[in-house]
Amino acid sequence: MNPVTLLESLFARKAEFDVFPAGADDCLDFSILHGERFFRRWGDGEFHSLMTQSNVFGFSARITSGNPASLGGFVLAREVAGEAEILTIAVSGKYPRRGLGWRLMLAAIRETKARGGETMFLEVDEGNAAAIGLYRKLGFKQVAERKGYFAGPTGEKATALVMRLDLR
Ligand SMILES: CC(C)(COP(=O)(O)OP(=O)(O)OC[C@H]1O[C@@H](n2cnc3c(N)ncnc32)[C@H](O)[C@@H]1OP(=O)(O)O)[C@@H](O)C(=O)NCCC(=O)NCCS
């Protein structure tokens, strides 16, 4: 391993994260990370227009040491009439399986409850084992299937699982 890669991996292992409520200042960082983890990147303008809606909320996981604190992951959700929906969640490929997705989802669930939400829904590609593993561990159950819902880079279609968590 070359010295730079070695240093990066040591830093990644040692990094400590905190979870913060998301704000307009996060839009560019969210857009960049979104582009790293999804085929179609949402622009910072798209994040901005979502995050200025009063029923949309989110959280970031940032390294607590370092300036500016680098982004480990984020989640965005929307709550309408007691039902919340996960709009997107992404954790940096530098920090997989470190519990960041779990912590971000718990923050979104807590905020949904605080807003009076009683259920949470999300859609996930049926081939996304990491995300499905995370959602099942949180107690989400599959309630429906949408064939051809997601489109991939070469136009191929993938089935979405609709999953639901009861928060009452
Ligand atoms: C899905 C994603 C958010 C998970 O984030 P993460 O921080 O790595 O996940 P966590 O460390 O919090 O894992 C929590 C649990 O999820 C499950 N999980 C996470 N990664 C997994 C994997 N690669 N395979 C199987 N299960 C996995 C496990 O149950 C894990 O608990 P455990 O480590 O105690 O076994 C992350 O992989 C990601 O950003 N993927 C790309 C974007 C994406 O697919 N978003 C979801 C769209 S619906």
Side-chain angles (χ1 to χ4, degrees):
M1 196 182 281
N2 77 47
V4 175
T5 315
L6 180 64
L7 263 180
E8 276 178 0
S9 87
L10 279 175
F11 181 67
R13 244 179 282 149
K14 283 193 175 155
E16 298 290 339
F17 292 87
D18 270 335
V19 173
F20 302 94
D25 288 354
D26 291 308
C27 292
L28 182 57
D29 284 356
F30 285 7
S31 170
I32 292 168
L33 179 53
H34 190 275
E36 286 170 16
R37 301 310 319 253
F38 293 98
F39 145 64
R40 192 189 77 75
R41 173 177 169 174
W42 294 2
D44 52 329
E46 286 175 86
F47 277 101
H48 195 264
S49 68
L50 279 171
M51 286 163 68
T52 48
Q53 297 170 27
S54 60
N55 57 358
V56 172
F57 54 92
F59 295 90
S60 65
R62 289 188 178 275
I63 295 183
T64 40
S65 54
N67 193 10
S70 108
L71 183 65
F74 69 89
V75 63
L76 225 57
R78 174 162 40 211
E79 191 271 326
V80 179
E83 281 187 5
E85 163 194 21
I86 296 294
L87 298 173
T88 185
I89 176 169
V91 168
S92 164
K94 283 188 242 165
Y95 311 110
R97 215 82 185 241
R98 295 271 309 265
L100 294 186
W102 172 261
R103 289 173 65 186
L104 288 163
M105 284 296 296
L106 286 186
I109 288 168
R110 220 172 286 130
E111 178 62 21
T112 298
K113 285 183 180 169
R115 288 171 179 243
E118 298 188 338
T119 46
M120 182 174 263
F121 286 90
L122 55 83
E123 277 130 11
V124 57
D125 186 321
E126 67 173 353
N128 190 342
I132 292 170
L134 169 63
Y135 303 144
R136 287 208 176 116
K137 190 173 171 182
L138 285 159
F140 280 84
K141 302 270 185 283
Q142 182 185 333
V143 291
E145 204 178 81
R146 293 190 180 141
K147 291 207 183 300
Y149 185 79
F150 292 116
T154 54
E156 76 278 10
K157 301 281 186 188
T159 298
L161 309 182
V162 181
M163 300 185 86
R164 172 193 158 123
L165 180 67
D166 195 341
L167 305 177
R168 280 168 299 183

